[in-house]
Short mmCIF file of all heavy atoms in Angstrom, two decimals:
data_model
loop_
_atom_site.label_atom_id
_atom_site.label_comp_id
_atom_site.label_asym_id
_atom_site.label_seq_id
_atom_site.Cartn_x
_atom_site.Cartn_y
_atom_site.Cartn_z
N MET A 1 32.66 16.62 -45.66
CA MET A 1 32.92 15.84 -44.47
C MET A 1 32.87 16.78 -43.27
O MET A 1 33.19 17.96 -43.38
CB MET A 1 34.24 15.11 -44.48
CG MET A 1 34.33 14.10 -45.59
SD MET A 1 33.06 12.77 -45.34
CE MET A 1 33.62 12.09 -43.77
N PRO A 2 32.47 16.25 -42.07
CA PRO A 2 32.44 17.16 -40.91
C PRO A 2 33.80 17.56 -40.41
O PRO A 2 34.83 16.92 -40.66
CB PRO A 2 31.75 16.24 -39.89
CG PRO A 2 32.10 14.87 -40.23
CD PRO A 2 32.14 14.90 -41.80
N GLU A 3 33.90 18.62 -39.68
CA GLU A 3 35.08 19.05 -38.99
C GLU A 3 35.05 18.43 -37.59
O GLU A 3 34.05 18.53 -36.89
CB GLU A 3 35.11 20.60 -38.92
CG GLU A 3 36.30 21.13 -38.14
CD GLU A 3 36.30 22.65 -38.04
OE1 GLU A 3 35.31 23.26 -38.43
OE2 GLU A 3 37.25 23.19 -37.46
N ILE A 4 36.18 17.83 -37.22
CA ILE A 4 36.26 17.15 -35.90
C ILE A 4 37.20 17.88 -35.04
O ILE A 4 38.45 18.06 -35.42
CB ILE A 4 36.65 15.67 -36.13
CG1 ILE A 4 35.59 14.96 -36.91
CG2 ILE A 4 36.85 15.01 -34.73
CD1 ILE A 4 35.95 13.53 -37.26
N ASN A 5 36.76 18.34 -33.88
CA ASN A 5 37.60 19.05 -32.91
C ASN A 5 37.59 18.29 -31.58
O ASN A 5 36.50 17.85 -31.18
CB ASN A 5 37.11 20.46 -32.70
CG ASN A 5 37.24 21.30 -33.98
OD1 ASN A 5 38.33 21.60 -34.38
ND2 ASN A 5 36.08 21.67 -34.55
N TRP A 6 38.79 18.20 -30.97
CA TRP A 6 38.92 17.43 -29.72
C TRP A 6 38.86 18.46 -28.51
O TRP A 6 39.42 19.56 -28.63
CB TRP A 6 40.20 16.67 -29.63
CG TRP A 6 40.17 15.45 -30.56
CD1 TRP A 6 40.63 15.42 -31.90
CD2 TRP A 6 39.69 14.21 -30.22
NE1 TRP A 6 40.43 14.21 -32.37
CE2 TRP A 6 39.84 13.36 -31.42
CE3 TRP A 6 39.12 13.62 -29.14
CZ2 TRP A 6 39.43 12.09 -31.46
CZ3 TRP A 6 38.68 12.33 -29.17
CH2 TRP A 6 38.85 11.50 -30.32
N ARG A 7 38.15 18.04 -27.49
CA ARG A 7 38.00 18.86 -26.30
C ARG A 7 38.19 17.96 -25.08
O ARG A 7 37.81 16.81 -24.99
CB ARG A 7 36.55 19.38 -26.18
CG ARG A 7 36.05 20.26 -27.37
CD ARG A 7 36.65 21.67 -27.21
NE ARG A 7 35.98 22.48 -28.15
CZ ARG A 7 36.50 22.73 -29.43
NH1 ARG A 7 37.62 22.17 -29.81
NH2 ARG A 7 35.87 23.60 -30.25
N ASN A 8 38.93 18.56 -24.08
CA ASN A 8 39.00 17.88 -22.76
C ASN A 8 37.88 18.26 -21.89
O ASN A 8 37.62 17.56 -20.87
CB ASN A 8 40.34 18.26 -22.09
CG ASN A 8 41.59 17.61 -22.81
OD1 ASN A 8 41.55 16.49 -23.28
ND2 ASN A 8 42.64 18.39 -22.93
N SER A 9 37.18 19.28 -22.19
CA SER A 9 36.01 19.74 -21.42
C SER A 9 35.09 20.43 -22.40
O SER A 9 35.57 20.90 -23.48
CB SER A 9 36.37 20.60 -20.23
OG SER A 9 37.03 21.82 -20.68
N LEU A 10 33.83 20.64 -22.05
CA LEU A 10 32.88 21.20 -22.92
C LEU A 10 32.36 22.57 -22.35
O LEU A 10 32.20 22.72 -21.17
CB LEU A 10 31.65 20.27 -23.10
CG LEU A 10 31.91 18.82 -23.63
CD1 LEU A 10 30.70 18.01 -23.65
CD2 LEU A 10 32.47 18.95 -25.05
N THR A 11 32.07 23.46 -23.28
CA THR A 11 31.39 24.69 -22.93
C THR A 11 29.93 24.39 -22.65
O THR A 11 29.42 23.28 -22.95
CB THR A 11 31.51 25.67 -24.04
OG1 THR A 11 30.79 25.25 -25.20
CG2 THR A 11 33.00 25.96 -24.44
N ASP A 12 29.24 25.35 -22.06
CA ASP A 12 27.76 25.15 -21.85
C ASP A 12 27.05 24.90 -23.12
O ASP A 12 26.14 24.06 -23.18
CB ASP A 12 27.24 26.36 -21.07
CG ASP A 12 27.74 26.48 -19.66
OD1 ASP A 12 28.21 25.46 -19.15
OD2 ASP A 12 27.59 27.56 -19.08
N VAL A 13 27.42 25.64 -24.20
CA VAL A 13 26.77 25.47 -25.49
C VAL A 13 27.03 24.05 -25.99
O VAL A 13 26.08 23.36 -26.53
CB VAL A 13 27.25 26.54 -26.45
CG1 VAL A 13 26.71 26.24 -27.92
CG2 VAL A 13 26.72 27.92 -26.05
N GLU A 14 28.26 23.62 -25.95
CA GLU A 14 28.57 22.27 -26.46
C GLU A 14 27.87 21.19 -25.63
O GLU A 14 27.49 20.19 -26.18
CB GLU A 14 30.16 22.06 -26.39
CG GLU A 14 30.85 22.90 -27.45
CD GLU A 14 32.39 22.89 -27.17
OE1 GLU A 14 32.82 22.69 -26.10
OE2 GLU A 14 33.14 23.24 -28.19
N THR A 15 27.78 21.38 -24.33
CA THR A 15 27.11 20.40 -23.48
C THR A 15 25.63 20.33 -23.94
O THR A 15 25.06 19.19 -24.09
CB THR A 15 27.16 20.81 -22.02
OG1 THR A 15 28.52 20.80 -21.62
CG2 THR A 15 26.35 19.83 -21.15
N THR A 16 25.01 21.46 -24.10
CA THR A 16 23.60 21.49 -24.60
C THR A 16 23.45 20.74 -25.90
O THR A 16 22.50 19.98 -26.11
CB THR A 16 23.12 22.94 -24.65
OG1 THR A 16 23.17 23.59 -23.39
CG2 THR A 16 21.66 22.99 -25.18
N GLN A 17 24.39 21.01 -26.85
CA GLN A 17 24.35 20.40 -28.14
C GLN A 17 24.50 18.87 -28.05
O GLN A 17 23.81 18.07 -28.67
CB GLN A 17 25.42 20.90 -29.07
CG GLN A 17 25.17 22.38 -29.52
CD GLN A 17 26.27 22.94 -30.42
OE1 GLN A 17 27.45 22.59 -30.17
NE2 GLN A 17 25.89 23.66 -31.38
N LEU A 18 25.45 18.44 -27.18
CA LEU A 18 25.69 17.02 -26.98
C LEU A 18 24.49 16.29 -26.36
O LEU A 18 24.09 15.19 -26.72
CB LEU A 18 26.95 16.78 -26.20
CG LEU A 18 27.38 15.36 -25.94
CD1 LEU A 18 27.46 14.59 -27.30
CD2 LEU A 18 28.70 15.30 -25.19
N VAL A 19 23.88 16.94 -25.35
CA VAL A 19 22.70 16.33 -24.76
C VAL A 19 21.60 16.17 -25.78
O VAL A 19 20.92 15.15 -25.86
CB VAL A 19 22.16 17.23 -23.59
CG1 VAL A 19 20.78 16.72 -23.14
CG2 VAL A 19 23.10 17.15 -22.43
N ALA A 20 21.40 17.13 -26.69
CA ALA A 20 20.38 17.02 -27.72
C ALA A 20 20.77 15.96 -28.70
O ALA A 20 19.88 15.18 -29.13
CB ALA A 20 20.30 18.36 -28.46
N LEU A 21 22.03 15.77 -29.06
CA LEU A 21 22.47 14.69 -29.91
C LEU A 21 22.20 13.33 -29.33
O LEU A 21 21.65 12.43 -29.95
CB LEU A 21 23.97 14.87 -30.26
CG LEU A 21 24.61 13.71 -31.00
CD1 LEU A 21 24.06 13.59 -32.40
CD2 LEU A 21 26.16 13.91 -30.97
N LEU A 22 22.55 13.15 -28.04
CA LEU A 22 22.36 11.90 -27.34
C LEU A 22 20.88 11.57 -27.20
O LEU A 22 20.45 10.44 -27.39
CB LEU A 22 22.99 11.93 -25.97
CG LEU A 22 24.53 12.10 -25.93
CD1 LEU A 22 25.02 12.11 -24.56
CD2 LEU A 22 25.25 11.02 -26.77
#
Side-chain angles (χ1 to χ4, degrees):
M1 294 302 295
E3 179 182 2
I4 299 175
N5 294 293
W6 289 93
R7 301 279 191 269
N8 290 319
S9 60
L10 301 175
T11 66
D12 290 344
V13 171
E14 290 168 338
T15 299
T16 299
Q17 290 178 322
L18 181 52
V19 168
L21 171 67
L22 297 181

